Amino acid sequence: MVTQDSQGGFRLGSGWMVVAAALFALMGLFVKLGARHFSSTELVFWRTLIGAVALGGAALWRRERFSTPLLRYHLQRGVIGYVSLLLSFYAIAHLPLATATTLTYTSPMFLALLSVLLLKEKLPSRAVAGLALGFAGVALLLRPTLSGEVWFAGLMGLASGFLAGWSYLHVRELGRQGEAEWRVVFYFALISTLGGLLLMLLERWHPVTADNVGLLLGLGVTATLAQLAMTRAYKVGRKLTAANLSYLTVVFSSLIGVWMWNDALSPSSLLAMALIVVSGMLASRR
């Protein structure tokens, strides 16, 4: 029997995921605006640096323990997640915001597929149907992209979704091992920051000025708050409901794209996005 308290917790979890979806969409806005001043590598570096400092400082304040016996899993997740984030930011910079966000949100499809290939899990029939719908949606969404000048950005967005799904396999394993949620987020931010610093040794740094520092702060703050809100949503609410509501990021991103850049979405693009969203929902029902 579902009690009133549990229903309140579920509603609270749903609310947190709506907040997280809106913040992730705003993060995409700051990425797209910031791409006029910084490279994708720089944007990822500043985004994760702000997150690492904020989360690390909060952990120090609470006197949390940073040591972990699961460092290998953190390293694997951090490297894969960092490359995924780098490709995602590149796609956002070069594609309409809604298209890039939707490609990134193919991660549940790839998570389900990798669970079968790597972990030998069996998928129910509805998840298999979801994967078929999802890949049909991807083909439909990428068709105009592959025939245009931004085909590379489209493939990078899809690769980002694949790597994000692979990263979530490690996140799931860390959760099974009982790792604290804050350490999962913190070590990802830390490893990504160090990786970005190494890559930036090969690039030219663009100056941070009074005109663009607000974009970096907005990027770091929205990304960190979105991550925390998402973590809270999964902790206090129904995981399946939270996973489904996460696709509101696609809706919010579409609205921002129309508002900021008059992005026009064709009927085929809207159909493709709907197929991918439904696919992710079905793939999550396992």
Side-chain angles (χ1 to χ4, degrees), residues 230-241:
M230 183 180 66
T231 302
R232 171 63 61 175
Y234 280 114
K235 184 174 183 179
V236 303
R238 283 193 180 99
K239 289 180 172 57
L240 180 58
T241 301

Side-chain angles (χ1 to χ4, degrees), residues 18-42:
V18 173
V19 171
L23 287 169
F24 276 125
L26 287 174
M27 182 198 75
L29 170 63
F30 284 115
V31 170
K32 204 159 185 67
L33 294 175
R36 301 172 182 173
H37 306 273
F38 305 98
S39 68
S40 297
T41 306
E42 288 174 294

Side-chain angles (χ1 to χ4, degrees), residues 78-89 104 156-157 159-165 167:
V79 171
I80 297 171
Y82 171 68
V83 177
S84 172
L85 194 60
L86 193 63
L87 297 181
S88 173
F89 278 25
T104 300
M156 292 303 98
S160 171
F162 169 76
L163 291 174
S167 173

